[in-house]
Amino acid sequence: MGKLDGKAAIITGSAKGIGRAIAVAFAKHGADLLLITRSTPLDRLAETCRAHGSNVECITADISDPAQALAAIETCKDVFGKVDILVNNAGIARDGLLVRMKDHDFELVLKTNLTGSFNCLRAATKIMMKQRYGRIINISSVAGQMGNVGQINYSAAKAGLIGMTKSAAKELASRSITVNAIAPGFIATDMTNAMSDRAKEEALKLIPMGRLGDVDDIAAGALFLASDDAAYVTGHTLSINGGMYM
Ligand code: NAP
């Protein structure tokens, strides 16, 4: 028996990296999936999830646009009749030192990582409140907990996501909707592949476990928070970072 049998889950930015791993883990545990991508095709992932027995619907949407986010979330209700789980995973980085940070790069990262998550959170919450059930998981970052050189925009957005998680958790607890965050450390994905070798070496020095994390480490945390095992956990930020920040 799967931990998410009969549940309908939405995962934003699920075509690759952490989102993809969460989608596969949820499919293995019996969830039906609404997968949201911005541009990377979802066909192969959908095929993999269907092979595990999931019903899968794929949507192309830019979640930073409120209308597109709303339409995508409502599609889950239209197709599966409900929205049990939302994973706000879509995110981008546009790194640069504070004094050289372009307005556009600051605003784009806030608009995608923070406002985009809010757009999906608000749309899903309206459905979950009527159901009197929901599990919301916001993918934050260790950068939002401890800061990071060259990531003024990204750290601000990810710290904001932790605040948003706590406020939403307080507002929604009485409706049996839990809201939690995961703060990954450095995880091997396209996002970290884009770092320079020097930055990667520096990052490794900060990790007591001495290695980057794997996408499946994050998927395991998301599965826990989405499942009944975490029914009494809300407003929490789960650090999955190899000891990088305690
Ligand atoms: P990734 O491989 O770059 O994947 C990010 C996904 O988000 C992509 O599929 C991308 O779509 C999607 N996306 C970006 N902007 C979007 C938008 N406006 N609308 C819809 N989808 C959008 O990144 P990742 O490393 O797996 O990161 C996943 C999440 O974990 C992010 O929130 C990231 O900040 C967070 N995180 C990652 C790490 C790490 O070390 N990797 C550490 C801490 C936190 P396209 O494929 O179409 O571009």
Side-chain angles (χ1 to χ4, degrees), residues 93-110 149-155:
R94 293 287 183 277
D95 297 350
L97 291 173
L98 165 56
V99 291
R100 290 191 211 134
M101 175 70 58
K102 303 257 189 306
D103 290 348
H104 174 73
D105 287 340
F106 187 83
E107 282 156 15
L108 186 64
V109 168
L110 267 288
V149 172
Q151 292 201 309
I152 194 90
N153 48 0
Y154 186 80
S155 306

Side-chain angles (χ1 to χ4, degrees), residues 34-202:
L34 180 99
L35 304 176
I36 303 178
T37 186
R38 182 182 49 177
S39 56
T40 307
L42 283 165
D43 312 3
R44 287 185 61 194
L45 173 59
E47 213 174 286
T48 303
C49 294
R50 287 187 186 115
H52 288 293
S54 285
N55 295 304
V56 181
E57 187 74 17
C58 299
I59 295 271
T60 299
D62 178 346
I63 52 98
S64 70
D65 177 76
Q68 290 187 44
L70 178 65
I73 302 292
E74 286 186 340
T75 301
C76 185
K77 169 102 167 97
D78 295 343
V79 173
F80 300 121
K82 56 186 186 159
V83 177
D84 294 309
I85 302 161
L86 167 67
V87 183
N88 269 321
N89 167 76
I92 57 167
R94 293 287 183 277
D95 297 350
L97 291 173
L98 165 56
V99 291
R100 290 191 211 134
M101 175 70 58
K102 303 257 189 306
D103 290 348
H104 174 73
D105 287 340
F106 187 83
E107 282 156 15
L108 186 64
V109 168
L110 267 288
K111 193 175 167 204
T112 304
N113 297 9
L114 186 58
T115 310
S117 297
F118 165 72
N119 292 337
C120 297
L121 171 68
R122 181 176 56 186
T125 295
K126 285 182 183 160
I127 298 165
M128 290 176 174
M129 283 176 77
K130 288 190 191 130
Q131 296 171 176
R132 301 188 82 83
Y133 179 87
R135 295 271 186 274
I136 295 162
I137 300 161
N138 296 319
I139 306 298
S140 176
S141 169
V142 69
Q145 297 172 303
M146 61 184 278
N148 197 19
V149 172
Q151 292 201 309
I152 194 90
N153 48 0
Y154 186 80
S155 306
K158 293 300 191 181
L161 212 40
I162 291 174
M164 198 165 83
T165 298
K166 292 180 182 179
S167 292
K170 287 187 174 176
E171 278 193 34
L172 302 174
S174 65
R175 307 274 181 136
S176 299
I177 300 168
T178 66
V179 190
N180 292 290
I182 294 177
F186 285 103
I187 310 300
T189 68
D190 285 356
M191 193 177 273
T192 41
N193 280 345
M195 290 163 65
S196 68
D197 287 344
R198 173 115 189 271
K200 274 188 216 159
E201 275 167 33
E202 291 303 316

